[in-house]
């Protein structure tokens, strides 16, 4: 059992190292997927730019504002670099499944986020914007009644002077008669856009800066860290508000401001994890076997850093969703963007709390989503924690 | 010397400057390795022993060029390694492999064992994953595991098994030389033996040369052919392992041997261990670096004192030079403030007898103590410094051949001064 | 050995609840420490030696740990039944602990002098705790103890830190010192210094020591008596000279034979440690034992007296025992000397696992 008592020549000795070919640069599956996806988007964009006349929708009713292109790109990158690796690696898939199976909170959160993602993208594309029905404002949710003071005729049955809700509008309608359920789906769309696009910007910049700072070290590290420390003092919220006043408020501006100002915390996490990995025994082992920096970066540093990135990013996103709600409440948002915050805030006018379902619906969606993002973030941290049991 | 050495290191130095301020002004240098020479012949196992901080791990890293040496020449298979870049360096990193101490830290927790063992193959350009897999499975079997283990993850294995996997990884590129840095130190006693046995078998079967670094002398004794003993960045003794361990020539080696607990009952109590700690490598002692602790430090020529007494007096002098004399602390200790008690107290603190047999020495010591109590520290230091100078602090010993196969760097050997047995 | 034992441990059994199941860390462990004596608990990973040492003063967190059976009697008092309050007055005061990594035992935020004084202040009403601390630092051979007392742990070397830990342990003048691998993290010369220091302190204060270690060399230097533990059970016990030079139990023999650098051929121990959740039936060592017979698989052997000794001392019976059937009635222990038994006796799937 000590091995090496065999008579035949071991395989590793049969390698003719003099004549082995050199470089083997093969992109990972994630990169293939990303390239394919981006190519497809590129084609679509070219089509829009060159073929479709200006101000005309590209396909269906979609007239492809910038923010939607950004969403598409973010979706491709999210699937390629976040979901695909999680699903394809045996180990992480098993551990993620264990988390879902053993912790109901995680299961519920993942389920909710999947719903949000699907409805926010595909669902919205199918359902489209909610339509206004000005004659039927403030319909109550199904099986519930509303206060007689509220204006507008009742779609459902009126029994004992009370208007009843119908399944036609299961969560009721708002002041414009827009179906609250559809509004929530709109909100999902906004949440998905906000989260994914901002996350893409945050992760890209933070990973780049954090990795360079942690890997290169020295003066470069000192300069970058100094800048990050400075940037973290700049309140993105305030910057957005200023922009909102100076130009007009827009979701894109919010995304850009947060994306480009709030990556500092994540970069910090990346940097310390990169530093830790750089010192790790297995990196020394790889280097002593001849690995160059690029190999170490790709095979050891980035995979080991991804857990930290995921956790830090989910935290930022959860915060951002709440901030967007706050901005809506302060009426500093683009009212054409039907985020949950906007819908809820618009319901808090003169009729509140009689029209409580207009606030509760999107409000709950907001709460679920923020909590779900945090719970999933923690679950991801546990998945990546090497001390856990597989 | 019949065969040319596979690895030849001359005057290897690794200094770490400690800088201060924006401009990086060097304040001190940590001399981790300060002039190390050794040869490693093909098929040989050379042990490098010493306590922590002696620089042996730094020697390992520098030899592999994981760090670039401050000075010195490293020749592998006849060629100078220091100049290697690019492909030449990569080839060097194929022919020389490193095995680490901590089996828990040496594997990326995200990679399976098969991926970890196959990684060096990937690094050196073997793109075909099936081919890598075949080599890895074959090698795992040869180190006492099974091919199926390739899909499992490092944390599923015990310490001893992980070390076997580490050995497999170090062999996968078919190297000529293994540098093993404390390969069994983290393992249970009963497990050490089987890993050492495996290493021995692998060495024999694949004709490996091994540089074996360890602080555990029993392991080195079991496994190595030759041994080099390091102290504070320098090699103090070198030779065949049995000869060095049975009959150490350098006082430090002797102290190390004495400190090893012996399994059998000794005749009488174990010898007095070395006193003090290893000095700071940023500020090593002058001359022979061991002179601050050496039980056999050479006294000045006409001094006639018992060896232990001489050492005590010498320690007294060295201590005064390094630290200032605190009269109050001494007073508190002896519980009195009168000069007489303080005088005795000062002597007692350093184990210096109340009266020395050598009159010159006695006068020097008592004058110095009087000067101290009078508050004139400088005079005390000067007086002692004049009376008690050892050649060991003046001259750095060069390695002297003890016989054809071994040498040691001690002035006593140069002078052919009789080394007293304990 | 006559005279009352200072510490008497009987049939101590401790379990832990883990996500993988309930683990029996130690089982029916029995030993005693007499006044002025040094007893070594020797074992490798998974032997339970650290758990044994820490259970004595209930340092084990009690969930998930649990004393299932057995008693610990210290100077007549049953510690397993004592309240937490009573135990707190004993810890540090009458029974002191020294642990393996001195840096973990010292708080980086306080000076070394403060930490030694803390033990004094906890158990004695001494207004001069700090002076006493400096005296103690002097006693553990720290050069310039007054200056040292003002230093923080990170400014000191490993050997010096361990001396500080010893000083703190002895501050309240305990009767029993439980030292768990105190020199494992130290260099061989520093280790020799610390062992010498402990021996001196022990003689000076008539201290009893329970020394937990895996290092047989250290055992040979410090122990009067040895207790060899494997997978949570005691395999052998006896005077140190007997156990090390003429080991009775096959595990002890195999352990000693696997030591490197002794000049005799090194024999690795085959097989691997038992899975703590799925322990073998019968004798825990039998899957790896070259002399195992059917009986070994069926029943857990009790500790049998071993009636031979080169150092019988004053008493007629040498007070040695081994938990092996070969020392029982139906077997002849001389068979153990005659070489390995038929290999078919050993369960096939366990043999040859590389450790």
């Amino acid at each position: 059992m000590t091995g090496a008592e065999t008579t035949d020549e071991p395989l590793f000795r049969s390698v003719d190292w003099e004549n082995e070919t050199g470089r083997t640069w093969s992109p990972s599956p994630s990169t293939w997927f990303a390239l394919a996806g981006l190519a497809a988007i590129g084609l679509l964009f070219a089509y829009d730019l060159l073929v479709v006349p200006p101000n005309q929708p590209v396909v269906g009713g979609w007239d492809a504002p910038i923010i939607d292109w950004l969403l598409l790109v973010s979706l491709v990158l999210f699937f390629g670099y976040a979901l695909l690796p999680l699903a394809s690696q045996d180990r992480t898939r098993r551990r993620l499944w264990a988390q879902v199976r053993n912790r109901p909170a995680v299961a519920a959160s993942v389920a909710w986020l999947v719903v949000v993602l699907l409805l926010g993208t595909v669902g919205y594309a199918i359902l489209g914007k909610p339509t206004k029905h000005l004659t039927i404002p403030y319909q109550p949710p199904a099986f519930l009644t509303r206060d007689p003071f509220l204006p507008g005729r009742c779609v459902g049955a009126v029994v004992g002077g009370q208007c009843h809700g119908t399944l036609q509008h299961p969560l009721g309608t708002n002041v414009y008669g827009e179906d609250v359920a559809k509004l929530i789906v709109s909100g999902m769309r906004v949440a998905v856009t906000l989260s994914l696009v901002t996350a893409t910007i945050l992760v890209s910049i933070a990973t780049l800066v954090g990795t360079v700072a942690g890997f290169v070290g020295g003066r470069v590290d000192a300069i970058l860290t100094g800048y990050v420390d400075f940037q973290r003092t700049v309140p993105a919220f305030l910057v957005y508000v200023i922009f909102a006043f100076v130009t007009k408020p827009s979701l894109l501006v919010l995304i850009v401001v947060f994306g480009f100002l709030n990556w500092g915390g994540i970069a910090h996490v990346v940097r310390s994890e990169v530093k830790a990995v750089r010192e790790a025994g297995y990196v020394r082992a790889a280097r002593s076997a001849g690995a160059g920096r690029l190999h170490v970066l790709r095979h050891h540093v980035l995979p080991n850093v991804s857990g930290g990135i995921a956790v830090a990013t989910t935290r930022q996103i959860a915060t951002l969703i709440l901030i967007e709600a706050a901005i809506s409440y302060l009426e500093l948002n683009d009212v054409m963007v039907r985020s949950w915050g906007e819908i809820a805030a618009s319901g808090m006018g003169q009729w509140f709390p009689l029209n409580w379902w207009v606030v509760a619906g999107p409000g709950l969606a907001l709460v679920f989503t923020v909590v779900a993002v945090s719970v999933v973030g923690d679950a991801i941290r546990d998945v990546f924690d090497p001390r856990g049991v597989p | 010397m019949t065969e040319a050495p596979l690895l030849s290191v001359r005057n290897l130095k690794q200094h770490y400057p400690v800088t201060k301020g924006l401009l990086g002004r060097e304040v001190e240098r940590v001399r981790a390795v300060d002039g190390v020479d050794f040869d490693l012949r093909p098929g040989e196992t050379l042990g490098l022993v010493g306590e922590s901080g002696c620089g042996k791990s730094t020697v390992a890293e520098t030899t592999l060029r994981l760090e670039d040496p401050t000075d010195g020449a490293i020749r592998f298979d006849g060629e100078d390694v220091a100049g290697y870049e690019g492909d030449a360096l990569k080839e060097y990193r194929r022919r020389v492999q490193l095995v680490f101490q901590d089996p828990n830290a040496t594997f990326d927790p995200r990679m399976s064992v098969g991926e970890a063992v196959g990684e060096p193959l990937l690094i050196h350009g073997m793109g075909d994953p099936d081919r890598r897999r075949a080599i890895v499975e074959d090698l795992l079997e040869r180190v006492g595991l099974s091919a199926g283990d390739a899909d499992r993850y490092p944390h599923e294995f015990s310490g001893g098994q992980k070390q076997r996997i580490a050995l497999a990884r170090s062999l996968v590129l078919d190297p000529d030389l293994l540098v093993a840095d404390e390969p069994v130190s983290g393992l249970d006693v009963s497990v050490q033996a089987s890993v050492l046995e495996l290493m021995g078998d692998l060495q024999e079967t694949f004709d490996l040369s091994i540089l074996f670094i360890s602080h555990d002398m029993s392991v080195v004794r079991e496994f190595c052919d030759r041994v080099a003993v390091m102290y504070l960045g320098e090699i103090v003794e070198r030779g065949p392992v049995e000869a060095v361990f049975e009959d150490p020539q350098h006082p430090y080696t002797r102290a190390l041997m004495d400190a090893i607990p012996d399994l059998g009952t000794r005749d009488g109590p174990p010898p007095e261990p070395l006193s003090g700690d290893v000095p700071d490598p940023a500020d090593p002692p002058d001359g022979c670096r061991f002179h601050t602790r050496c039980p056999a430090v050479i006294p000045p020529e006409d001094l006639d004192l018992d060896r232990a007494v001489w050492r005590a007096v010498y320690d007294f002098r060295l201590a005064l030079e390094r630290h200032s004399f605190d009269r109050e602390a001494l007073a508190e200790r002896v519980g009195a403030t009168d000069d007489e008690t303080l005088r005795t107290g000062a002597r007692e603190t350093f184990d210096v007898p109340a009266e020395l047999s050598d009159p010159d020495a006695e006068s020097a010591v008592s004058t110095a103590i009087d000067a101290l109590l009078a508050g004139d520290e400088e005079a005390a230091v000067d007086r002692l410094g004049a009376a008690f100078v050892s050649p060991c602090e003046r001259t750095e010993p060069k390695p002297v051949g003890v016989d054809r196969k071994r040498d040691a760097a001690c002035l006593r050997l140069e002078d052919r001064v009789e080394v007293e047995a304990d | 050995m006559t005279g009352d034992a200072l510490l008497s441990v009987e049939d101590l059994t401790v379990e832990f609840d883990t996500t993988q199941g309930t683990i029996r860390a130690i089982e029916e462990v029995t030993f005693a420490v007499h006044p002025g004596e040094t007893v070594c608990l020797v074992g490798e990973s998974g032997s339970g030696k650290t758990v044994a040492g820490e259970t004595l003063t209930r340092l084990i967190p009690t969930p998930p740990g649990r004393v299932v059976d057995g008693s610990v009697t210290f100077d007549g008092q049953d510690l397993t039944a004592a309240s937490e309050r009573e135990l707190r007055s004993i810890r540090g005061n009458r029974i002191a602990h020294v642990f393996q990594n001195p840096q973990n035992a010292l708080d980086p935020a306080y000076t070394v002098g403060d930490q030694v004084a803390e033990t004094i202040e906890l158990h004695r009403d001494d207004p001069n705790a700090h002076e006493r601390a400096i005296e103690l630092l002097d006693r553990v051979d720290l050069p310039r103890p007054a200056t040292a007392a003002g230093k923080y742990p990170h400014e000191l070397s490993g050997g010096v830190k361990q001396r500080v830990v010893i000083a703190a342990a002895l501050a309240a003048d305990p009767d029993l010192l439980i030292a768990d691998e105190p020199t494992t993290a130290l260099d061989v010369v520093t280790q020799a210094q610390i062992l010498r220091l402990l021996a001196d302190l022990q003689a000076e204060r008539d201290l009893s020591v329970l020394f937990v270690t895996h290092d047989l060399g250290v055992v040979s230097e410090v122990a009067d008596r040895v207790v060899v533990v494997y997978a949570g059970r005691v395999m052998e016990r006896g005077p140190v000279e007997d156990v090390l030079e003429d080991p009775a139990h096959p595990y002890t023999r195999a352990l000693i034979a696997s030591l490197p650098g002794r000049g005799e051929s090194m024999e690795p121990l085959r097989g691997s440690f038992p899975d703590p959740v799925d322990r073998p039936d019968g004798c825990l060592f039998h899957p790896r034992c070259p002399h195992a017979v059917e009986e070994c698989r069926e029943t857990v052997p009790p500790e049998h007296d071993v009636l031979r000794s080169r150092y019988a001392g004053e008493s007629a019976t040498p007070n040695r025992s081994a938990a092996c059937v070969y020392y029982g009635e139906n077997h002849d222990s001389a068979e153990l000397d005659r070489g390995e038994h038929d290999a078919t006796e050993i369960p096939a799937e366990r043999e040859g696992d590389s450790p």
Side-chain angles (χ1 to χ4, degrees):
Chain A
M1 241 37 64
T2 61
E5 337 97 341
T6 48
T7 48
D8 54 326
E9 186 73 346
L11 273 178
F12 74 90
R13 291 209 122 187
S14 62
V15 179
D16 181 7
W17 286 107
E18 305 260 309
N19 296 327
E20 271 296 316
T21 50
R23 281 269 120 250
T24 47
W25 183 251
S26 56
S28 64
S30 295
T31 313
W32 281 125
F33 179 89
L35 287 174
L38 291 175
I41 296 175
L43 282 174
L44 197 61
F45 186 72
Y47 173 67
D48 179 31
L49 198 62
L50 303 172
V51 177
V52 175
N55 297 328
Q56 288 274 19
V58 176
V59 76
W62 179 52
D63 52 338
I66 303 174
I67 204 166
D68 284 359
W69 289 115
L70 290 177
L71 176 60
L72 281 176
V73 168
S74 305
L75 275 170
V76 165
L77 292 178
F78 177 65
F79 271 90
Y81 284 107
L83 293 188
L84 199 59
L86 267 181
S88 64
Q89 275 182 34
D90 263 346
R91 196 161 168 253
T92 41
R93 193 176 51 215
R94 257 185 292 150
R95 291 180 72 161
L96 197 53
W97 180 240
Q99 289 281 328
V100 167
R101 205 181 32 201
N102 297 330
R103 291 162 64 181
V106 174
S109 302
V110 169
W112 173 252
L113 291 181
V114 168
V115 165
V116 170
L117 186 63
L118 285 177
L119 288 182
T121 49
V122 176
Y124 182 80
I126 295 175
L127 290 174
K129 291 199 183 108
T131 40
K132 293 188 167 69
H133 302 284
L134 294 170
T135 50
I136 48 162
Y138 295 134
Q139 298 303 306
F143 312 124
L144 297 175
T145 60
R146 71 174 188 187
D147 193 292
F149 270 117
L150 287 169
R153 69 174 181 86
C154 185
V155 171
V158 182
V159 175
Q162 303 238 304
C163 174
H164 286 259
T166 60
L167 286 174
Q168 203 178 351
H169 299 287
L171 297 178
T173 65
N174 70 347
V175 65
Y176 300 119
E178 291 168 313
D179 182 74
V180 171
K182 279 191 175 173
L183 283 172
I184 289 180
V185 171
S186 291
M188 289 182 179
R189 162 60 170 254
V190 176
V192 167
T193 308
L194 184 65
S195 308
L196 287 185
V197 180
T198 316
T200 306
I201 302 174
L202 290 174
V203 169
S204 310
I205 305 179
T207 308
L208 183 63
V209 171
T211 308
V212 169
F215 213 60
V216 174
R219 216 158 272 163
V220 171
D221 181 15
I223 294 172
L224 286 175
T225 310
Y227 170 71
V228 167
D229 286 340
F230 158 70
Q231 188 189 268
R232 288 175 85 178
T233 64
V234 176
F237 183 76
L238 212 50
V239 172
Y240 170 74
V241 168
I242 294 172
F243 263 102
F245 267 109
V246 168
T247 59
K248 69 176 174 71
S250 87
L251 186 64
L252 184 58
V253 169
L254 178 63
I255 289 175
V256 166
V257 166
F258 268 82
F260 283 90
L261 283 181
N262 266 17
W263 51 266
I266 306 175
H268 202 85
V269 167
V270 170
R271 173 181 173 274
S272 38
E273 302 232 347
V274 166
K275 277 183 129 72
V277 170
R278 214 175 58 147
E279 308 291 315
Y282 49 86
V283 168
R284 259 174 95 213
R287 284 188 63 218
S288 69
R293 278 171 153 185
L294 223 50
H295 173 100
V296 169
L297 199 61
R298 186 181 157 192
H299 284 94
H300 294 290
V301 172
L302 289 178
N304 276 294
V305 154
S306 50
I309 294 178
V311 174
T313 310
T314 49
R315 221 155 267 160
Q316 286 285 339
I317 295 304
T319 312
L320 181 56
I321 295 175
L322 285 173
I323 287 183
E324 195 281 331
I327 286 174
S328 302
Y329 186 73
L330 295 174
E331 298 182 23
L332 289 169
N333 65 327
D334 177 358
V335 294
M336 301 303 288
V337 170
R338 315 307 296 283
S339 67
W340 292 320
E342 159 63 27
I343 303 163
S346 70
M348 294 183 87
Q350 46 169 163
W351 290 111
F352 187 72
L354 299 180
N355 59 345
W356 56 270
W357 56 88
V358 180
V359 177
L364 283 174
L366 191 64
V367 167
F368 286 160
T369 308
V370 170
V371 169
V373 168
S374 301
V375 169
V376 168
D378 280 346
I380 291 181
R381 185 197 57 211
D382 289 342
V383 163
F384 280 100
D385 185 349
R387 273 157 294 158
V389 185
Chain B
M1 214 58 38
T2 45
E3 242 180 312
L6 181 62
L7 177 70
S8 177
V9 172
R10 293 283 176 272
N11 200 28
L12 185 65
K13 292 191 187 181
Q14 185 65 285
H15 295 173
Y16 298 106
V18 176
T19 61
K20 228 176 166 161
L22 267 174
L23 295 171
R25 191 173 44 95
E26 184 179 307
V27 181
E28 45 177 27
R29 316 194 112 204
V30 175
R31 292 160 205 273
V33 178
D34 213 7
V36 158
D37 299 339
F38 63 87
D39 284 337
L40 181 63
R41 286 186 282 273
E44 180 181 52
T45 311
L46 174 66
L48 199 56
V49 299
E51 298 177 285
S52 50
C54 71
K56 53 195 195 299
S57 287
T58 313
V59 168
E61 300 202 343
T62 321
T63 308
L64 271 131
R65 285 207 51 205
L66 285 175
E67 287 191 26
D68 284 330
T70 312
D71 199 2
I74 306 171
R75 299 186 79 82
F76 179 74
D77 210 9
E79 280 181 34
D80 183 16
V81 160
Y84 279 177
E85 291 298 326
D87 282 342
L89 183 58
K90 204 163 183 185
E91 176 67 3
Y92 180 59
R93 294 249 176 92
R94 182 189 73 72
R95 295 181 66 191
V96 180
Q97 289 296 305
L98 186 53
V99 182
F100 290 88
Q101 167 176 2
D102 187 357
N104 297 315
T106 198
F107 293 109
D108 186 338
R110 304 214 189 296
M111 287 172 102
S112 70
V113 159
E115 288 170 333
V117 175
E119 191 187 358
L121 296 170
L122 177 64
I123 293 171
H124 283 262
M126 187 178 295
D128 181 357
D130 296 320
R131 204 166 152 222
R132 291 200 302 267
R133 174 92 187 196
I135 293 178
V136 164
E137 288 183 351
D138 174 57
L139 198 40
L140 283 176
E141 300 250 332
R142 286 167 195 276
V143 295
L145 296 165
S146 67
D149 287 331
D151 287 318
R152 293 164 68 186
Y153 285 85
H155 69 262
E156 302 180 50
F157 295 92
S158 70
Q161 288 170 324
K162 276 193 277 234
Q163 211 57 324
R164 288 169 184 268
I165 299 170
L167 280 170
R169 182 173 65 181
S170 70
L171 286 177
V172 79
L173 292 175
D174 198 13
D176 301 314
L177 169 64
L178 278 190
V179 177
D181 190 353
E182 308 271 11
V184 295
S185 299
L187 305 176
D188 277 312
V189 175
S190 64
V191 175
Q192 281 189 13
S194 52
V195 173
L196 283 177
E197 188 190 59
L198 173 64
M199 285 179 73
D201 287 343
L202 292 172
Q203 177 187 24
E204 222 179 276
T205 317
F206 300 122
D207 205 25
L208 296 168
S209 314
I210 302 184
L211 178 64
F212 195 104
I213 294 168
S214 180
H215 69 280
D216 187 339
M217 262 136 311
S218 314
V219 167
V220 168
R221 188 171 193 166
E222 180 70 38
F223 193 76
C224 301
D225 304 317
R226 290 165 50 83
V227 66
V229 181
M230 278 190 78
Y231 181 76
L232 210 56
E234 295 178 329
I235 292 184
V236 299
E237 183 161 1
R238 212 184 335 239
V241 82
E242 270 314 304
V244 171
F245 281 37
E246 283 295 315
D247 181 30
Q249 291 298 305
H250 193 283
Y252 177 64
T253 318
R254 203 169 305 125
L256 281 183
M257 294 301 118
D258 286 343
I260 302 174
D262 194 354
L263 211 52
T265 46
R266 275 179 225 269
D267 309 313
E272 184 81 27
L274 268 188
S275 60
D277 281 326
V278 179
D280 184 2
D283 184 20
D286 300 318
C288 171
R289 296 186 174 197
F290 191 51
H291 83 256
T292 54
R293 304 165 78 196
C294 182
V297 63
I298 302 175
E301 242 180 71
D302 30 10
L303 196 70
D304 180 28
L305 284 178
D306 200 18
R307 204 164 94 145
V309 173
W310 151 238
R311 181 74 240 181
V313 167
Y314 195 52
D315 281 338
F316 179 40
R317 178 202 144 202
L318 291 178
L320 271 184
E321 282 179 10
R322 293 223 132 194
H323 310 281
S324 56
F325 175 65
D326 189 344
R327 194 197 164 107
E328 269 114 50
L330 180 61
E332 234 181 271
R333 220 169 151 196
V334 299
T337 43
D338 65 291
D339 277 0
E340 201 45 52
T341 330
L342 287 178
R343 255 187 227 116
T344 349
R347 282 187 186 239
E348 266 173 25
T349 317
F350 290 96
D351 284 329
V352 176
E355 174 125 9
L356 298 176
S357 52
D358 182 317
D360 293 324
E362 173 57 37
S363 103
V365 169
S366 44
T367 322
I369 292 184
D370 285 337
L372 277 182
L373 295 180
D376 191 353
E377 229 174 277
E378 211 176 307
V381 168
D382 284 341
R383 187 75 181 83
L384 291 176
F388 302 120
V389 180
S390 167
C392 295
E393 70 189 74
R394 289 273 162 85
T395 327
E396 238 198 88
K398 296 269 165 284
V400 170
V402 173
D403 57 42
R404 280 192 311 136
K405 293 196 206 162
R406 45 189 299 211
D407 58 42
C410 180
L411 291 178
R412 283 191 176 268
L413 295 171
E414 285 182 33
D415 297 347
R416 297 267 178 267
V417 176
E418 262 313 303
V419 180
E420 293 168 29
D422 240 338
Chain C
M1 177 86 71
T2 50
D4 284 336
L6 177 63
L7 174 78
S8 174
V9 176
E10 305 239 0
D11 281 333
L12 191 59
T13 307
V14 173
E15 282 180 357
F16 282 86
D17 294 317
T18 69
T19 49
Q20 286 126 301
T22 302
I23 293 180
R24 212 149 239 230
I26 52 174
E27 190 178 54
E28 292 174 2
V29 169
T30 304
F31 64 89
V33 182
H34 293 82
E37 191 182 34
T38 302
V39 173
C40 269
L41 267 185
V42 183
E44 301 180 276
S45 299
S47 60
K49 59 189 192 301
T50 298
V51 170
E54 292 185 356
T55 307
L56 302 181
T57 53
R58 229 189 284 156
L59 287 179
I60 306 282
T62 32
R66 198 181 29 225
V67 176
V68 167
D69 198 7
S71 69
V72 177
T73 313
F74 177 71
D75 204 14
Q77 183 183 6
D78 184 1
L79 294 186
T80 43
S83 70
E84 180 63 23
R85 191 150 176 222
E86 288 171 314
L87 278 175
R88 248 180 287 144
S89 77
I90 289 181
R91 287 183 205 131
N93 188 15
R94 303 203 59 205
I95 302 181
H97 284 263
V98 174
F99 298 102
Q100 176 173 349
N101 275 314
Q103 48 261 32
N104 294 347
L106 293 173
D107 189 332
Y110 293 92
T111 64
V112 146
D114 282 342
Q115 297 192 53
V116 175
E118 181 185 38
T119 318
I120 302 174
E121 282 161 4
L122 274 174
H123 295 290
R124 303 261 183 279
D125 231 337
D126 193 344
N128 301 321
H130 275 267
E131 282 77 18
R132 280 266 297 146
I134 297 178
E135 274 171 38
L136 280 162
L137 291 178
D138 186 28
R139 186 57 203 88
V140 296
D141 293 336
L142 281 194
R144 289 175 324 284
T147 328
K151 295 213 167 180
Y152 287 88
H154 70 265
E155 301 177 88
L156 306 171
S157 72
V160 171
K161 279 195 283 240
Q162 197 62 303
R163 290 170 193 272
V164 169
V165 169
I166 292 172
L170 297 178
D173 216 4
D175 303 305
L176 174 66
L177 183 68
I178 302 178
D180 191 341
E181 308 264 23
T183 57
T184 302
L186 305 174
D187 284 314
V188 66
V189 171
T190 317
Q191 173 175 280
Q193 295 171 344
I194 298 286
L195 291 180
R196 171 62 74 95
L197 173 67
L198 281 175
D200 289 343
L201 289 170
Q202 190 180 7
E204 199 178 279
R205 294 161 177 246
D206 203 26
L207 188 63
S208 313
V209 177
L210 178 64
F211 207 110
V212 177
T213 182
H214 70 279
D215 189 334
L216 289 173
V218 168
V219 170
S220 74
E221 292 256 325
V222 305
D224 296 313
R225 298 179 53 78
V226 182
V227 178
V228 179
V229 197
Y230 178 81
R233 294 191 65 94
V234 173
M235 295 288 127
E236 176 168 357
R237 83 179 74 238
V240 65
E241 304 88 350
D242 284 326
V243 174
L244 293 184
E245 289 184 21
D246 180 28
H249 195 283
Y251 171 61
T252 321
R253 292 181 176 216
L255 190 59
I256 292 175
S258 73
L259 292 178
R262 284 175 311 126
E264 293 153 38
S265 68
M266 184 183 70
E267 276 290 320
L269 181 54
R270 301 277 161 232
S272 48
F273 296 114
D275 183 350
V277 184
D278 180 25
R279 286 151 47 146
D281 298 320
C283 172
L284 291 172
F285 186 61
H286 89 260
R288 307 171 77 180
C289 183
H291 304 279
V293 290
E294 206 47 43
E295 198 181 331
C296 301
R297 194 194 322 231
E298 286 163 8
T299 50
V300 178
E303 292 192 49
H304 296 288
D305 284 329
V306 174
L307 295 174
R308 66 170 194 266
S309 167
R310 299 181 195 175
Y311 304 92
E314 292 148 21
S315 54
T317 53
N319 206 357
R320 287 186 75 176
S321 60
C324 180
V325 298
Y326 282 89
Y327 292 91
E329 279 149 14
N330 308 330
H331 295 265
D332 178 12
S333 64
E335 283 179 46
L336 292 175
D337 297 318
R338 268 186 231 125
E340 306 202 1
H341 272 217
D342 192 345
T344 56
E345 304 273 13
I346 306 170
E349 75 276 10
R350 301 260 191 171
E351 183 206 6
D353 273 0
S354 307

